[in-house]
Amino acid sequence: MVATASSHHLPFNARFVRSVCARQGWRHVDLDGGAGYLFAVEADGARVLCGSGAVCAYPTNSATAYTIARDKAFTASVLAAAGLAHVPTELWFVETARRHLRPPGRERADLEAGAAARTYPLFAKPNRGAHGDFAERIPDAAGLRDYLARIAPVHDQIVIQPLVEAAEYRVFVVGGQARFQYGKSEGGLTGDGVSNWADLFAALNAQLQADALSPVIDGLFETGLAAIGAAPSDIAGTGQRLPLAGRRNLATGGYPVGFCTKVDPALGALAIAATAALGLDVAGVDIFAPAAGDPLVLEVNANPSFSSLESLGETALAEAIWTDVLGRALAAAR
């Protein structure tokens, strides 16, 4: 059955673009049977392609800039060359295919051989991952070996970074301006007054796996239980939170805090500079702000979702940003 707008939950960007087109008198052209993952916008003889999911939603981001930003190791290299503060990032390969095409010393065997000499805890994630997939705190050498065994069948490259204990912010940059910021909370479970913690944890992992994302490991659940003095069989009180450290995204129960359109000057300047260094027009820049010291870039997302804006009820701002992006893209296409 071909999905239609009435039978399929459209992605965030598809919904916003349809609304903007209706308001601006532009033509929205469906290109995938109403699923919302590929469409075009037409006006005054100009046409631009847009999409959702794996497609970069923003037509003002070039293919080169988007592809580089998807690669966390490449992004770190560009930021380093630009002299911008960022989290140190090591690239490692966890599969042996195409080994002859790369310099030696960055293979899984090399990483495992030096595991005992590393400083822990550290943070590991796929080099081209998203939505917190396999983004985990690694406590020790045994934990690193376990992580490599679990991730190898799914991802071919990982990055390793030092664990930074600091507030994390997302700054949204469009057209050289920092448009808004919000803090990113740790993921976690929220009680409903009916289910026990074990059932809530199982439901979270079932949803993650249904979305093709890695489950939260049992150790984080056990640590969260200990933090609030609870047992797996305890009923989770309505609104009660159980922290799941490591992932700060909506998929694992994280949420935006302190949303504002008046961006902190230091965060905004760093986000704008990082976006420009990568040649992007639209970016969601994740930044750590240590209590003592200067902010540093964690990641630059070249295809940021508007789901946080929607969850905050900031749909007018989302539509204003989309109107700006599409207007400039259409003007360039004429």
Side-chain angles (χ1 to χ4, degrees):
M1 175 181 175
V2 176
T4 65
S6 60
S7 65
H8 189 90
H9 180 70
L10 290 173
F12 301 107
N13 289 328
R15 295 202 300 274
F16 285 127
V17 170
R18 284 194 176 202
S19 178
V20 167
C21 286
R23 290 177 183 272
Q24 297 296 318
W26 298 334
R27 184 179 177 222
H28 179 278
V29 183
D30 169 44
L31 297 174
D32 68 348
Y37 288 93
L38 184 63
F39 46 90
V41 175
E42 297 178 346
D44 300 325
R47 187 177 201 253
V48 294
L49 292 170
C50 302
S52 303
V55 177
C56 181
Y58 309 101
T60 51
N61 279 349
S62 75
T64 299
Y66 169 67
T67 306
I68 291 173
R70 282 196 65 229
D71 188 297
K72 295 173 176 55
F74 282 167
T75 296
S77 294
V78 171
L79 296 178
L84 299 175
H86 64 285
V87 178
T89 302
E90 301 175 17
L91 174 65
W92 295 90
F93 296 90
V94 294
E95 48 78 37
T96 57
R98 299 175 293 277
R99 184 166 55 185
H100 62 287
L101 298 176
R102 54 188 182 248
R106 293 189 296 179
E107 305 301 317
R108 174 179 174 178
D110 301 313
L111 181 56
E112 290 181 327
R118 286 189 164 270
T119 299
Y120 297 92
L122 52 79
F123 205 83
K125 53 192 171 185
N127 186 36
R128 299 189 185 96
H131 307 298
D133 188 35
F134 280 101
E136 298 181 17
R137 298 185 185 206
I138 309 298
D140 50 33
L144 179 57
R145 294 188 181 94
D146 172 71
Y147 177 80
L148 291 172
R150 288 185 288 110
I151 198 172
V154 186
H155 294 279
D156 62 341
Q157 303 170 30
I158 66 167
V159 292
I160 288 181
Q161 299 172 320
L163 184 65
V164 179
E165 298 286 2
E168 183 181 343
Y169 295 89
R170 163 65 62 90
V171 179
F172 205 100
V173 176
V174 182
Q177 296 183 334
R179 299 296 299 270
F180 63 85
Q181 72 174 51
Y182 57 80
K184 301 182 74 174
S185 74
E186 291 280 11
L189 303 173
T190 301
D192 58 10
V194 177
S195 308
N196 63 37
W197 289 117
D199 288 343
L200 290 174
F201 182 62
L204 170 65
N205 276 341
Q207 183 59 58
L208 289 172
Q209 291 175 302
D211 291 335
L213 298 174
S214 63
V216 177
I217 60 175
D218 291 344
L220 289 180
F221 178 51
E222 293 162 2
T223 300
L225 287 170
I228 64 171
S233 59
D234 290 347
I235 298 298
T238 302
Q240 186 180 9
R241 288 280 292 179
L242 185 151
L244 296 172
R247 298 188 189 180
R248 296 180 175 181
N249 51 64
L250 294 176
T252 51
Y255 52 89
V257 293
F259 171 87
C260 63
T261 54
K262 186 176 181 180
V263 177
D264 176 270
L267 299 182
L270 181 57
I272 291 169
T275 302
L278 288 160
L280 293 166
D281 179 66
V282 179
V285 185
D286 293 334
I287 298 175
F288 280 132
D294 296 327
L296 63 165
V297 176
L298 171 61
E299 291 185 7
V300 180
N301 188 336
N303 195 24
S305 169
F306 276 42
S307 57
S308 295
L309 282 184
E310 189 170 56
S311 70
L312 292 166
E314 295 287 344
T315 55
L317 176 59
E319 290 191 4
I321 291 173
W322 262 115
T323 301
D324 170 41
V325 170
L326 289 172
R328 289 188 288 113
L330 288 166
R334 292 190 182 103

